[in-house]
Amino acid sequence: MSIKTILVTGANGEIGHGLIEHLSEYGGMHIIAMDLAPIDESVKARCHRLVTGDILDTHLLETLSTEHNFDTIYHLAALLSTRAERQPTLAHRVNVDGTLNLLEIAITQSRLQGREIKFIYPSSIAVYGLPDLETKRKAGKVKEDQWLVPRTMYGINKLYNEQLGRYYANYYRQLDAEPPKGQIDFRSVRFPGLISAVTLPTGGTSDFAPEMLHMAARNRHYECFVREDARIPFMAMPDAITALLRLQAAPHEKLTQTVYNVGAFNPSALEVFQILQKAFPNTSVKFASDYRRQAIIDSWPADVDDTAARRDWDWKPEYSLDRAFSEYLIPAIRRRYPSKA
Ligand code: SER
């Protein structure tokens, strides 16, 4: 069996942790983990090589590309939606220019190796922008091509990067006399808010649900920055990893689009609180909506239509709302904060 070489950017992030854990358990691959900060201890042992560096550093990326033949690139590094509103130009540089740099590396690799390089890209429900709550209520489950009018820098970056990926996969240098050898096989999932029992997100706007969980498990009071009725789709982290791996493995001919919604459950903030209260009776949450962050949540859909992913690559979440909390999040978080629970 030939060993595959996989590049993971944003390796220290929430998805990075879970993805590297799974990939390393499959075996048969060399994982090159890259992050701006030194790679976390828990991830280190699972990787073939650790790279501390910036995706804006093209010299570093080019050096990596001369030293390895990548089969698949999971480009996870990004500034999330709340952080991106605080530093929009930095977000644009990291999210857009950084992705462009990785796509260029992928195309260089595909030319050198004379074959397709898979490029797996997590997009987000932030690409959607519903104008008001009434429209959001009526829209229900949104399809991939509806309401693509994002109002955050992050959402705009993600939507544009989806297009950029489609361009690199299908039309790159389309005026050249000789079509470039090899190509990029770009595949993307639009994730809902993700909840992990292991890691806490940083800089996102869907963070209220995971923050509520981690604070409840630690017996800490939580000031929730959205209203009780705030509702967006969420997914347990193991399902998010499954989605990436399953999309990566899907036969090319089955894929009818480059970007897929994936959904699992969509509780209101109050429903999350009520579930937590049963598990941790001291749960203390004050819903003190920050109207600016609330407005971002209100612009994201209440649910997504993931029919295409179910049809094309057998997407199916394992964790419903009940199972996610009772079988994964609550038991795992009790183990994480044992003295409190
Ligand atoms: N979780 C992300 C955020 O809140 C959305 O993809 O920014």
Side-chain angles (χ1 to χ4, degrees), residues 80-81 124 154 204-206 300:
L80 297 187
S81 57
S124 161
Y154 172 77
T205 315
S206 62
W300 292 352

Side-chain angles (χ1 to χ4, degrees), residues 131-157:
D132 51 59
L133 280 173
E134 179 59 10
T135 312
K136 171 166 168 160
R137 199 184 50 76
K138 283 201 190 127
K141 290 180 180 232
V142 300
K143 289 195 197 316
E144 282 89 346
D145 59 355
Q146 296 176 316
W147 301 108
L148 296 173
V149 200
R151 60 163 72 181
T152 60
M153 177 53 101
Y154 172 77
I156 291 165
N157 297 163

Side-chain angles (χ1 to χ4, degrees), residues 107-320:
I107 212 96
T108 307
Q109 287 262 312
S110 81
R111 285 176 162 182
L112 290 172
Q113 299 184 45
R115 64 185 179 121
E116 275 193 343
I117 305 299
K118 275 194 188 156
F119 196 101
I120 310 298
Y121 183 66
S123 186
S124 161
I125 48 161
V127 299
Y128 298 112
L130 292 116
D132 51 59
L133 280 173
E134 179 59 10
T135 312
K136 171 166 168 160
R137 199 184 50 76
K138 283 201 190 127
K141 290 180 180 232
V142 300
K143 289 195 197 316
E144 282 89 346
D145 59 355
Q146 296 176 316
W147 301 108
L148 296 173
V149 200
R151 60 163 72 181
T152 60
M153 177 53 101
Y154 172 77
I156 291 165
N157 297 163
K158 287 283 179 187
L159 185 57
Y160 175 71
N161 286 344
E162 292 175 359
Q163 300 292 328
L164 210 50
R166 206 169 52 84
Y167 167 76
Y168 269 81
N170 301 303
Y171 307 109
Y172 183 72
R173 299 190 65 121
Q174 57 194 298
L175 298 182
D176 284 6
E178 287 284 326
K181 263 208 221 126
Q183 225 187 16
I184 298 184
D185 182 353
F186 179 87
R187 305 176 177 197
S188 179
V189 271
R190 284 187 191 150
F191 278 132
L194 301 178
I195 318 186
S196 164
V198 187
T199 46
L200 259 170
T202 44
T205 315
S206 62
D207 295 5
F208 64 90
E211 283 174 2
M212 215 190 293
L213 166 73
H214 284 255
M215 295 298 264
R218 296 160 75 193
N219 268 324
R220 300 249 179 100
H221 174 72
Y222 180 56
E223 300 264 325
C224 182
F225 59 82
V226 292
R227 290 186 315 263
E228 297 180 9
D229 67 336
R231 189 184 294 277
I232 55 166
F234 278 100
M235 180 180 289
M237 189 57 77
D239 272 335
I241 307 303
T242 304
L244 287 177
L245 297 175
R246 202 167 284 178
L247 178 61
Q248 192 276 345
H252 200 284
E253 60 282 6
K254 292 249 179 170
L255 303 181
T256 57
Q257 45 198 66
T258 41
V259 180
Y260 289 89
N261 279 341
V262 282
F265 45 83
N266 67 330
S268 66
L270 180 65
E271 284 159 8
V272 174
F273 166 70
Q274 287 164 341
I275 292 172
L276 292 174
Q277 212 177 22
K278 281 193 199 133
F280 306 103
N282 295 332
T283 297
S284 160
V285 174
K286 179 161 172 239
F287 290 91
S289 162
D290 164 347
Y291 71 94
R292 297 188 184 93
R293 291 179 92 186
Q294 177 72 57
I296 292 177
I297 292 294
D298 288 345
S299 77
W300 292 352
D303 206 354
V304 288
D305 181 331
D306 60 4
T307 313
R310 289 174 187 261
R311 178 195 63 216
D312 289 358
W313 43 279
D314 296 327
W315 159 247
K316 195 170 175 299
E318 222 179 287
Y319 292 99
S320 61

